[in-house]
Amino acid sequence: LVCAHLLPHLRAAGLLPLRPPLPSSMCQKPLGSKKKSKSTKAKPVLAPGALGARPALDPFPYPHVRAPPGLFDRRALLAVREELASLQRTFKETDLFKVYQTGDLANLDPADPRHAAALPRTMALRSALYSSEFRAWVRQLTGCTELTDQTDCSCNVYGGGGHLLCHDDVIGSRCVSYILYLSRPDEAWEAAHGGALELYEMQEAAEGPTLMR
């Protein structure tokens, strides 16, 4: 798996942290050497036995499966949401997207005492998503080629007017893309809030592939 987008809709306009932001260096690659420190392991993010059964494939309106109920531990995801709210975010806007984004979460180091203390659940979630067990489960569901543990993930926050336009996600050796929505736990999501995932079918034509809604 080489792409992950964690999309929490934060408080108020979706931009306010739950506590003072941590320095941006929290998501930067560490410089120099450092001693490894002991850290308390976070509880499992994936529910025990959740990957044991293979969900049935539904072919309509496109091939898909429904993840088993309780695939992720709800309390663990709430903790991840709160941790991510403490990270500094940078506003980015192009002709494709308008978003607030954290640094690369692949650079979080469990051996760094600052990271271990501030983002234990986030690192536990990252480890679960890129674990050999979860990769094997995704491969079984999709029939894709063998997946590596190459990590590329960040947290994107979409405020009012935020968006990510249609794109094909074909980048380098990327095989599987996924999105984990961490919406407000105290407010049921509605279509009017925005943020829905829209899928487009590709149709082969003489002039090349074209999009079909």
Side-chain angles (χ1 to χ4, degrees), residues 3 5 14 20 26 38 53 65 68 74 83 91 125-126 142-143 148 150-151 161 168 174 180 185 187 197 208:
C3 177
H5 301 285
M26 288 293 290
K38 296 181 179 179
V65 297
R74 184 177 184 276
E83 289 177 4
F91 177 71
L125 173 62
R126 185 190 63 181
T142 63
T148 72
Q150 182 181 345
T151 307
D168 59 15
R174 179 180 296 175
L180 176 58
E187 181 179 346
L197 175 64

Side-chain angles (χ1 to χ4, degrees), residues 166-186:
C166 181
H167 59 287
D168 59 15
D169 258 0
V170 177
I171 300 177
S173 61
R174 179 180 296 175
C175 183
V176 173
S177 296
Y178 62 86
I179 303 171
L180 176 58
Y181 288 92
L182 298 177
S183 1
R184 296 178 180 177
D186 56 348

Side-chain angles (χ1 to χ4, degrees), residues 24-38:
S24 58
S25 60
M26 288 293 290
C27 288
Q28 302 298 322
K29 292 183 178 179
L31 300 177
S33 60
K34 56 182 178 295
K35 295 182 179 179
K36 291 188 176 180
S37 62
K38 296 181 179 179

Side-chain angles (χ1 to χ4, degrees), residues 3-178:
C3 177
H5 301 285
L6 305 178
L7 309 175
H9 301 284
L10 304 180
R11 292 183 184 277
L15 304 177
L16 297 180
L18 300 178
R19 54 179 179 268
L22 297 174
S24 58
S25 60
M26 288 293 290
C27 288
Q28 302 298 322
K29 292 183 178 179
L31 300 177
S33 60
K34 56 182 178 295
K35 295 182 179 179
K36 291 188 176 180
S37 62
K38 296 181 179 179
S39 60
T40 303
K41 289 185 178 181
K43 294 181 180 179
V45 176
L46 292 172
L51 305 181
R54 178 177 179 176
L57 177 66
D58 188 340
F60 300 104
Y62 48 82
H64 69 282
V65 297
R66 292 183 179 275
L71 176 62
F72 294 98
D73 182 88
R74 184 177 184 276
R75 289 175 298 179
L77 291 185
L78 290 176
V80 169
R81 186 179 187 277
E82 185 173 351
E83 289 177 4
L84 291 174
S86 69
L87 292 178
Q88 289 189 343
R89 298 166 295 280
T90 302
F91 177 71
K92 297 182 179 182
E93 183 174 13
T94 69
D95 56 352
L96 179 64
F97 57 78
K98 181 179 180 181
V99 64
Y100 286 83
Q101 189 176 73
T102 67
D104 190 348
L105 299 180
N107 294 326
L108 295 177
D109 183 2
D112 188 315
R114 298 172 304 161
H115 298 184
L119 302 163
R121 287 292 194 179
T122 300
M123 288 190 288
L125 173 62
R126 185 190 63 181
S127 295
L129 293 175
Y130 291 94
S131 66
S132 58
E133 294 81 8
F134 194 80
R135 284 184 281 131
W137 187 69
V138 171
R139 186 182 182 189
Q140 182 185 41
L141 294 180
T142 63
C144 68
T145 186
E146 184 174 356
L147 300 171
T148 72
D149 61 354
Q150 182 181 345
T151 307
D152 175 14
C153 56
S154 63
C155 167
N156 295 337
V157 182
Y158 293 88
H163 59 269
L164 175 60
L165 301 181
C166 181
H167 59 287
D168 59 15
D169 258 0
V170 177
I171 300 177
S173 61
R174 179 180 296 175
C175 183
V176 173
S177 296
Y178 62 86

